[in-house]
Amino acid sequence: MLGYVPGRRLPLLLLALALAACVQPWLPPGPWWLVPLALVLLALGDALLGWRLPALAMERRVAKVWARGRWGEVALTVHHTGGRPLRLALFDHYPQGWEMSGLPHASRLSAGQFVQLTYRLCPPLRGDHRFGRLELRVESPLRLWTRRVWLGEGEAVRVFPDFTTVLKRSLAAADRHVPQAGVLRRRRRGEGTDFHQLREYRRGDSLRAIDWKATARHQRPISREYQEERDQQIVFMLDCGRRMHALDGETSHFDHALNAMLVLAWLAQKQGDAVGLFTFAGPQRWLAPTKGRAAFDRLLAGLYDLEPGEIHPDYVQAAQALGEHVHKRSLVVLLTNIRDEDGDTLPDALRLLTRHHRVMCVSLREVALDQVLTRPVADLDSALLHCGTLDYLEARRLAMQRLHGHARELMDVTPQQLPVALVNRYLDLKESGAL
């Protein structure tokens, strides 16, 4: 692809032609028409000289995987392998909507030289994106025209959720360090569900942990040490319906749920549990529970381009569909946004799930609702808004209350609280042997 656009000096040439036409009637007789003719020929000659395509080659170094909301760098190299010296401006056709810093870039190149530059991008959305070709704007020798030249080929990249910050909390919990960022550890030595080893009795061990046969054999107190049970399953039920479009700041409830889910999935695979995913009320995806780091990578690759739809969630249908996929007892983590109208269908869905599984039902509460209640009531409009919010929250509270008899683990948290709440509850269940 190529084309010509006017250069920065062409308007000056046109102005000279206009002036020549204006002053010609007042000049003495003579071949003054040669002046505009010369200017026109000059412009045409410059266009012909600039028409020859310069010998250029381009390299782009760009990461194939990006993190949503994090700045990254793209490196460009343009080689001038032959021909006249060039004045050019570089512009890369990066994915639409990305934030950019560092373009366009102006440069001068002689034959055999090259230019290198680095610019920065920040992707705002997850999913598949594509870089276009590199665009160069090369000036003609007299700078009357600018030639547009496209180099290289397009490249596809993927943008994944960025969960680096909240993942640190999960790693801190998994390593059993001191409490950090709200993650509470209540590990009690010697308690668990799976036998781990025999060891010498320590102060604080329960008498029930003493192995009396080993004590008699070694002639000193010996305790049995247990560890958290492994080889269990966690299946995430992710609501992809229209409610998950709700925003808290610049991040949707859906992206908050994805980030928290990935945190818990990372921790679970570190604990030796299998992790699976089932989505409903929108794009439907099923990833069977698997173990290890490969399972986490598979989960990440299976949801990076997932977006919520515009469908109302049908919890009963989702519970029935999950029952067809999952037969082993599992911890089912339902991530959704509960409303008062769900009181008719969600209890039935929870009854279906709790027949065979331990269910953790987590509802995301809008931060904006809490903020409304903290604002002063100064006029009629603010009073109506305050009362309407109270009425809505009361209806929601009653809906949550009706669900307590159908799910042991029921949480109503803000998106910011979600990662830590999930991690804490999961570890409590592991340590208590409730899974």
Side-chain angles (χ1 to χ4, degrees), residues 28-51:
W32 298 108
W33 55 271
L34 292 177
V35 175
L37 178 61
L39 295 177
V40 171
L41 292 177
L42 184 65
L44 292 176
D46 189 46
L48 291 175
L49 291 175
W51 181 258

Side-chain angles (χ1 to χ4, degrees), residues 273-340:
D273 291 340
V275 179
L277 170 69
F278 177 77
T279 64
F280 65 98
Q284 295 189 1
R285 297 185 184 179
W286 163 244
L287 298 176
T290 52
K291 287 185 175 182
R293 175 58 189 270
F296 178 81
D297 294 340
R298 176 171 168 262
L299 180 67
L300 190 59
L303 56 76
Y304 79 94
D305 60 341
L306 198 60
E307 294 292 345
E310 297 294 337
I311 303 175
H312 183 80
D314 188 333
Y315 296 105
V316 174
Q317 183 181 17
Q320 293 171 343
L322 183 67
E324 297 175 358
H325 293 293
V326 183
H327 304 288
K328 178 182 177 180
R329 177 174 172 81
S330 308
L331 172 63
V332 176
V333 181
L334 173 60
L335 296 168
T336 185
N337 186 326
I338 297 176
R339 304 289 175 85
D340 55 335

Side-chain angles (χ1 to χ4, degrees), residues 43 50 70 89 156 197 262 266 272 322 352 359 366 398 404 406 414:
R70 295 181 68 87
Q197 63 182 359
L262 290 172
W266 175 270
L322 183 67
L352 288 174
V359 179
E366 295 85 352
L398 294 176
H404 272 289
H406 305 284
T414 63

Side-chain angles (χ1 to χ4, degrees), residues 114-153:
F114 65 90
V115 60
Q116 290 181 321
L117 69 104
T118 300
Y119 70 98
R120 304 178 69 233
L121 290 173
C122 180
L125 300 174
R126 295 174 291 101
D128 293 313
H129 300 267
R130 188 169 184 83
F131 281 78
R133 305 178 71 188
L134 177 66
E135 180 181 344
L136 303 181
R137 299 192 176 184
V138 183
E139 293 184 338
S140 60
L142 298 180
R143 304 169 73 176
L144 298 177
W145 305 94
T146 299
R147 174 84 174 275
R148 300 176 66 190
V149 181
W150 281 263
L151 297 179
E153 301 294 335

Side-chain angles (χ1 to χ4, degrees), residues 31-344:
W32 298 108
W33 55 271
L34 292 177
V35 175
L37 178 61
L39 295 177
V40 171
L41 292 177
L42 184 65
L44 292 176
D46 189 46
L48 291 175
L49 291 175
W51 181 258
R52 185 178 179 182
L53 189 65
L56 298 170
M58 165 266 191
E59 296 176 10
R60 179 198 285 128
R61 293 188 298 276
V62 56
K64 297 298 182 183
V65 175
W66 292 66
R68 175 186 177 273
R70 295 181 68 87
W71 286 89
E73 293 186 344
V74 179
L76 298 175
T77 304
V78 176
H79 298 265
H80 182 14
T81 58
R84 63 180 175 85
L86 300 176
R87 293 185 182 89
L88 49 83
L90 289 76
F91 188 83
D92 200 7
H93 284 260
Y94 54 86
Q96 186 176 4
W98 289 27
E99 296 182 58
M100 182 274 295
S101 174
L103 288 179
H105 177 81
S107 182
R108 296 184 63 179
L109 285 178
S110 299
Q113 291 184 334
F114 65 90
V115 60
Q116 290 181 321
L117 69 104
T118 300
Y119 70 98
R120 304 178 69 233
L121 290 173
C122 180
L125 300 174
R126 295 174 291 101
D128 293 313
H129 300 267
R130 188 169 184 83
F131 281 78
R133 305 178 71 188
L134 177 66
E135 180 181 344
L136 303 181
R137 299 192 176 184
V138 183
E139 293 184 338
S140 60
L142 298 180
R143 304 169 73 176
L144 298 177
W145 305 94
T146 299
R147 174 84 174 275
R148 300 176 66 190
V149 181
W150 281 263
L151 297 179
E153 301 294 335
E155 295 183 63
V157 297
R158 297 186 293 176
V159 180
F160 284 75
D162 175 38
F163 60 102
T164 306
T165 303
V166 287
L167 185 56
K168 294 178 182 177
R169 302 170 183 164
S170 175
L171 295 177
D175 292 339
R176 304 188 181 283
H177 290 166
V178 295
Q180 298 181 20
V183 178
L184 305 179
R185 306 301 306 123
R186 292 187 288 273
R187 172 75 169 174
R188 294 181 292 275
R189 188 176 62 204
E191 296 187 5
T193 56
D194 280 359
F195 175 76
H196 179 51
Q197 63 182 359
L198 293 174
R199 56 166 175 78
E200 290 191 8
Y201 178 84
R202 300 171 186 166
R203 180 178 297 180
D205 285 348
S206 170
L207 292 178
R208 292 178 298 176
I210 297 178
D211 189 305
W212 296 108
K213 292 183 179 180
T215 296
R217 185 166 60 251
H218 291 85
Q219 297 299 309
R220 63 180 185 275
I222 301 295
S223 293
R224 294 186 297 270
E225 186 173 72
Y226 294 87
Q227 64 182 0
E228 296 169 0
E229 185 180 352
R230 303 170 74 86
D231 195 26
Q232 296 173 319
Q233 285 191 168
I234 297 181
V235 178
F236 294 99
M237 285 187 68
L238 180 60
D239 184 357
C240 297
R242 62 188 181 190
R243 297 175 185 171
M244 303 300 281
H245 284 287
L247 291 175
D248 268 313
E250 296 181 356
T251 305
S252 68
H253 279 193
F254 189 77
D255 279 300
H256 278 296
L258 283 185
N259 290 339
M261 185 178 69
L262 290 172
V263 170
L264 184 53
W266 175 270
L267 177 58
Q269 62 91 17
K270 284 287 188 181
Q271 298 290 316
D273 291 340
V275 179
L277 170 69
F278 177 77
T279 64
F280 65 98
Q284 295 189 1
R285 297 185 184 179
W286 163 244
L287 298 176
T290 52
K291 287 185 175 182
R293 175 58 189 270
F296 178 81
D297 294 340
R298 176 171 168 262
L299 180 67
L300 190 59
L303 56 76
Y304 79 94
D305 60 341
L306 198 60
E307 294 292 345
E310 297 294 337
I311 303 175
H312 183 80
D314 188 333
Y315 296 105
V316 174
Q317 183 181 17
Q320 293 171 343
L322 183 67
E324 297 175 358
H325 293 293
V326 183
H327 304 288
K328 178 182 177 180
R329 177 174 172 81
S330 308
L331 172 63
V332 176
V333 181
L334 173 60
L335 296 168
T336 185
N337 186 326
I338 297 176
R339 304 289 175 85
D340 55 335
E341 62 263 28
D342 297 326
D344 297 331

